[in-house]
Amino acid sequence: MRTYLIPIIVVLFFYSCKKDAIPAKITEVIKPIEIFEYGFKLNDFEVINDTIKTGESFGVIMDRHHVLYPKINKIASSIKDTFDVRRVRSGKPYTILASKDSLTKAQVFIYKHNKIDATIINFKDSTINAYTYKKPIQTRKKDNGCCKLKLFCNYG
């Protein structure tokens, strides 16, 4: 009996180890959403948002983002008719669009004067461009929810 039992157990063991077919997982490739702001496709850059701190200047900010001093001097001298780099104020927000490589070298500097106006300095290529940008504004007339009876309405 024992001689028959061991081969039967071995056969059942190998028979139970049969691999089941695993169904292939269906994966769907989702395209990243393309984000455009200030006329640039932000997916192509590393976006750095920050605020100018007390004592910081344009040169200090650019040096921190791997722009060399001769290039900073060239930028400041070529855009002085559009934007005076001495006029950057502490507490104002700015955005730097940097390259996505390991250096993350700054390529575009966006100085936000207020929520609508900004100055964009593009020094990505060998040419240096500076221009002002106005954010598009939508005006909407809001219904103040005034009551239907004009008798009790304070808004006429």
Side-chain angles (χ1 to χ4, degrees):
M1 177 84 175
R2 212 175 201 192
T3 58
Y4 295 118
L5 189 59
I6 292 176
I8 291 172
I9 291 175
V10 170
V11 169
L12 288 175
F13 176 74
F14 285 116
Y15 182 72
S16 66
C17 290
K18 183 177 94 175
K19 289 186 177 180
D20 295 333
I22 299 173
K25 293 183 179 180
I26 299 174
T27 58
E28 184 177 336
V29 178
I30 300 173
K31 272 188 162 180
I33 298 171
E34 294 181 351
I35 302 170
F36 287 93
E37 196 168 335
Y38 300 106
F40 295 97
K41 183 179 172 186
L42 297 185
N43 297 4
D44 296 341
F45 299 99
E46 183 168 333
V47 180
I48 303 165
N49 291 312
D50 204 358
T51 304
I52 297 175
K53 289 152 186 75
T54 306
E56 279 187 333
S57 65
F58 180 74
V60 170
I61 295 168
M62 290 291 104
D63 184 45
R64 187 179 328 128
H65 295 287
H66 311 289
V67 179
L68 301 175
Y69 280 112
K71 179 93 173 185
I72 295 169
N73 189 23
K74 186 178 178 183
I75 292 168
S77 63
S78 66
I79 65 164
K80 62 183 168 186
D81 58 338
T82 307
F83 179 69
D84 189 5
V85 295
R86 297 175 294 175
R87 298 280 179 191
V88 293
R89 299 287 175 236
S90 63
K92 295 284 187 174
Y94 69 90
T95 301
I96 290 187
L97 303 180
S99 60
K100 278 195 164 184
D101 58 0
S102 61
L103 293 177
T104 62
K105 186 175 180 180
Q107 296 179 344
V108 178
F109 179 77
I110 302 169
Y111 179 73
K112 301 173 187 171
H113 300 283
N114 51 37
K115 289 185 179 183
I116 300 168
D117 300 320
T119 299
I120 299 174
I121 304 169
N122 185 355
F123 47 94
K124 179 170 49 173
D125 301 326
S126 61
T127 60
I128 299 169
N129 299 326
Y131 54 93
T132 57
Y133 178 83
K134 269 193 173 302
K135 196 172 185 178
I137 301 172
Q138 293 180 352
T139 55
R140 297 182 191 157
K141 187 174 180 182
K142 186 175 179 181
D143 183 24
N144 58 7
C146 191
C147 56
K148 293 181 181 177
L149 294 173
K150 298 286 184 187
L151 181 66
F152 301 107
C153 186
N154 294 333
Y155 299 106

